Amino acid sequence: MYRTIGVLTGGGDAPGLNAVIRAVVKTAIGEYGMRVIGIEDSFEGLLSPTKTRELTAAHVRGLLPRGGTILGARNRGSFVEQGEDGTVGKHHDVFQEAIKNLEKLGIDALVVLGGEGSLAIAAEFDRQGVPVVGVPKTIDNDLACTELTFGFATALDIATEAIDRLHTTAESHDRVMILEVMGRHTGWIALHSGVAGGADVILIPEIPFSMESVASKIREREECGSQFSIMVVSEGAREISGQQIYQDKGDRQHAPRLGGVGFFCQHELEGLTGKEVRCVVLGHLQRGGRPNAFDRMLATNFGSCAVRALARGERDVMVALQAADIITVPLDEAVANLKTVPFTSQLIRTARDIGISFGATDEASYHMSLECV
Ligand code: F6P
């Protein structure tokens, strides 16, 4: 049994981080008599001079509904090196320094809350001898081996409410309103919020779009008497013959930032349809603030299960939601590939059945209709 465990929050923040920290602390102390050390600013807090503090039950009181993370987060730091060509690798000296500091601090094992990038760093710590259990965090819901990550459900609520609000103003002004949402290279937020909010067009990275196909959907709606349209565009969506659009390509200290496809579509659609088009970028509103009820529950369950996994001797695993149960899966499997929206997913089929356009070419649409179940 470990006497002291460390907990840290890696990558961008997501609603529910504090709820996980609370559950980790309560379970570790209350159930197993362990000490918990909070590591600040993601893995950076393990480098000299270290930034850590002991967390007791008193420190986590009132944390359940609070957004952000009391431990601070970093989404790129000293543990990842970015080459000239944009590829990322691991910086080996810093792992040695961090592991020595973990020994000095008396930390026997780590609970790491993170997305694919942070959990890949966590897996390296485990390979170098530090037992790790990961907790799947990201509003993007793009981690493999888990049906859901915490943070996604809250982001979805926020995006859906934004679509509801855009509907009324779009209708009043006979405009096309575009909502650009986050999601990096996957379209989970766009697809789910687009269906939940009744969008007419959803553009996701998994289905490259044709601007002409989007324009014809808007014209078709006009012919049927709807003078307004709602589009949800995932930040990673791209035209069939185009590239993803970045605000910033990133460097050693900063991860690349997607963004701009919404304004690109606005400009192109105005030209193709002659309609007034406006774009709203929802941005970090999707990440800030209180987690919803589902994320509080999921985060709490993940946090407790992570400590229980460590206590029964598991390591190099991530807690994961599968078929309404929390299980553990190998960390390497969880970070090997992003979980993208399958071309043939049921929700894509449903969306198409109710008339939502993905801006796909006729040929792609034909294949989708053959393969969807
Ligand atoms: O991975 C979470 C996420 O919010 C992505 O959806 C988005 O692309 C990215 O982080 C934004 O990062 P930053 O906070 O650095 O702008």
Side-chain angles (χ1 to χ4, degrees), residues 12-13 75 137-140 142 181-184 189 235 247 255-258 283-284 287:
D13 67 346
N75 64 0
K137 166 242 62 164
T138 166
I139 63 164
D140 304 333
D142 60 357
V181 296
M182 285 184 167
R184 281 203 311 165
I189 298 177
E235 62 182 359
Q247 290 184 64
R257 276 193 304 140
L258 286 159
H284 293 81
R287 284 194 353 211

Side-chain angles (χ1 to χ4, degrees), residues 47 78-81 88-100 120-121 123-125 127-128 252:
L47 298 178
S78 317
F79 291 79
V80 171
E81 273 188 324
V88 290
K90 296 193 181 68
H91 203 300
H92 286 284
D93 295 347
V94 289
F95 279 93
Q96 287 311 311
E97 182 181 332
I99 290 168
K100 277 198 192 116
I121 296 172
E124 184 61 29
F125 269 98
R127 267 192 290 280
Q128 299 203 23
R252 283 188 61 160

Side-chain angles (χ1 to χ4, degrees), residues 19 35 41 69 98 106 108 114 116 137 157 168 196 222 230 250 256 267 270 284 295 298 304 324 330 366:
R35 285 176 72 221
D41 299 340
T69 161
D108 306 314
E116 154 257 352
K137 166 242 62 164
D157 280 353
T168 57
E222 287 204 312
I230 301 290
H267 182 258
E270 277 176 344
H284 293 81
D295 274 334
L298 185 63
S304 277
Y366 173 71

